[in-house]
Amino acid sequence: MNENTTIDEAQARAAEAVAADVARPAETAEGVVHTYAEVRAAVTANRANTLALLGCLREVLEARPFREAEAAVEGSRAMALTMQSPHALYAILLKCGAVESIPVPEDDAAAAEAIVGSDGAEAVEAHAEAGDLLDQPTDYLLRTTDLGRAALAEFEPAKRFEELLAAEPEGYRSAYGAVLACCEAGASKAAIEEALAGHPALAFPKPIYPGYFISKLETVDGISWDGVWRTTEAGQRMRALLA
C-alpha cells in the first residue's frame, strides 16, 4: 500500500475484486448455501444497523477471536446509530453468510497456529501454561466471507454518496459540500445551520431543514458525532467528488 492509499480505500478495492462474483451461491463448512441477496437484505433491513454491520465486516477481514472483534466494534463510531449490541450484529452477519465462524479448540495450539499464525499459537500456549486458557476468547474466530466483502464493495461510503447525489436535486450538492467543509474541524448543529443559512437548497425545490443534510451524511458515513459533528475519512473522499 502506498502512502497515498488509505486503509478504507484498500479495503474497498479488495472488496471490489469479489463483487463481480456475488451471484454465485456460497456454501459454508456446515453445508449451508447462502446468496448475496441474503447478505444485502440483512445489511439494508434496518437503516440504523447498516453502518454498524459494515463496520463489523471490516473488523474481521482477517480472522480474529470473536470477543476481540466485538470489543473493537463496541468502541467504534459505527455503533452511533444502532441499538443492537456487537454480538447481535455479528449474529445477523453469521446467519446470512456474510461472516463465517472458525472453531479453534482451546487445548490445541496447533489449530490456532494453522489459522492465526505462529504468534497466535504462542499466545494459546502461554495461556495454557498460566492455567487460564479457558478464559481466553479462542473458542472461535470470525472472518468476513466473499459475500461479506462484496457487501463492503457495494456499500462503500463514497459510492453510496454518489448514489445519493444522483437521486437528489442538483442544488443539494453544494449544501452537502458546505456541511462537509464546516465539519472538517468539528462543528455543532448550530454552526452547520449558520453555514447553510440562506442556501438555496433550503428553499428549492421545497422547504427543507439543515438537519436533513446532517442526517443523510451521517447515514452514508460522511460525518460522525463525538460531541461535535466531524467529517470522516470517507467524508473527505465525498468532498473530492464534489470538487
Side-chain angles (χ1 to χ4, degrees):
M1 184 185 306
N2 65 51
E3 61 182 7
N4 295 319
T5 302
T6 67
I7 292 174
D8 281 350
E9 288 169 336
Q11 290 175 348
R13 283 206 294 269
E16 289 282 7
V18 301
D21 200 32
V22 298
R24 179 174 59 83
E27 184 173 343
T28 68
E30 294 76 25
V32 179
V33 176
H34 293 288
T35 66
Y36 184 65
E38 292 177 68
V39 174
R40 196 180 193 286
V43 171
T44 60
N46 185 333
R47 188 176 68 174
N49 292 341
T50 299
L51 284 183
L53 289 168
L54 296 172
C56 287
L57 290 173
R58 292 189 187 98
E59 290 295 342
V60 293
L61 286 171
E62 300 294 335
R64 67 192 301 190
F66 80 92
R67 292 193 187 100
E68 181 182 306
E70 290 177 7
V73 172
E74 181 67 52
S76 72
R77 58 182 171 80
M79 295 295 292
L81 295 176
T82 185
M83 299 296 291
Q84 299 292 334
S85 69
H87 189 77
L89 292 168
Y90 274 117
I92 292 171
L93 294 171
L94 283 164
K95 183 177 181 180
C96 71
V99 164
E100 63 181 338
S101 64
I102 306 171
V104 181
E106 294 191 356
D107 60 350
D108 189 349
E113 182 174 5
I115 297 172
V116 300
S118 59
D119 290 344
E122 290 171 2
V124 172
E125 290 171 353
H127 290 308
E129 291 173 0
D132 62 353
L133 181 61
L134 293 178
D135 294 329
Q136 302 308 309
T138 56
D139 42 335
Y140 69 91
L141 308 178
L142 294 173
R143 182 168 59 197
T144 301
T145 64
D146 281 354
L147 293 177
R149 288 173 181 268
L152 287 176
E154 179 180 355
F155 293 96
E156 193 278 324
K159 181 184 292 187
R160 293 181 71 196
F161 184 58
E162 285 185 304
E163 293 169 352
L164 171 64
L165 291 176
E168 295 199 315
E170 178 65 24
Y172 284 18
R173 291 177 64 92
S174 61
Y176 283 119
V179 176
L180 290 168
C182 182
C183 295
E184 282 282 1
S188 65
K189 182 180 179 182
I192 296 172
E193 291 173 342
E194 183 177 349
L196 287 177
H199 195 288
L202 299 182
F204 182 83
K206 63 181 180 180
I208 195 169
Y209 291 103
Y212 174 87
F213 299 101
I214 295 172
S215 176
K216 288 289 188 176
L217 284 171
E218 181 184 25
T219 300
V220 297
D221 198 24
I223 59 176
S224 63
W225 176 261
D226 64 0
V228 293
W229 290 106
R230 295 187 189 279
T231 302
T232 64
E233 184 176 326
Q236 297 286 358
R237 299 199 298 277
M238 294 173 195
R239 284 197 72 189
L241 290 173
L242 296 170

